Amino acid sequence: MDTRPQRTRCVRMSDKGRLTVPVDIRQAAGIPDGAELVITASGDGEVTLTTREAVIRRIRDAVPPAPAGGWPLSEWDREDAADDEDDDVRDGAA
């Protein structure tokens, strides 16, 4: 659980849909100047801004590391790989 204190500020969207994220909010969130942000709308007037790096980190953290010998192939994968090798031999690529 994140124990950092939250900061809340009220900002106004311009008539062109632009927002300014105050510097203290960016600093508290660890967002550097010029960061690429991902904006997510979850309905009911709620949006979330997340740095691209944080999204990538979450995706990587959600994928388990490959086992030492690699992922075991299913029977279908083994048959498909054998068919590919047969195709390569027939086409002269092997």
Side-chain angles (χ1 to χ4, degrees):
M1 182 173 162
D2 193 350
T3 59
R4 291 177 291 185
Q6 287 190 321
R7 292 187 181 245
T8 303
R9 293 280 299 273
C10 185
V11 297
R12 185 174 303 276
M13 185 180 302
S14 76
D15 58 348
K16 294 185 180 185
R18 295 186 178 136
L19 293 173
T20 298
V21 180
V23 68
D24 65 315
I25 299 293
R26 293 192 318 263
Q27 288 173 343
I31 299 173
D33 291 341
E36 188 173 356
L37 300 174
V38 175
I39 186 168
T40 305
S42 53
D44 204 22
E46 185 174 314
V47 296
T48 304
L49 296 174
T50 310
T51 63
R52 182 176 182 271
E53 290 77 16
V55 171
I56 291 169
R57 189 172 46 253
R58 287 180 190 156
I59 292 169
R60 286 184 179 151
D61 290 347
V63 176
W71 294 106
L73 295 176
S74 69
E75 185 61 33
W76 182 87
D77 290 331
R78 283 192 286 276
E79 290 173 4
D80 191 44
D83 289 343
D84 288 346
E85 288 177 16
D86 292 342
D87 290 344
D88 289 345
V89 169
R90 185 181 57 247
D91 297 338

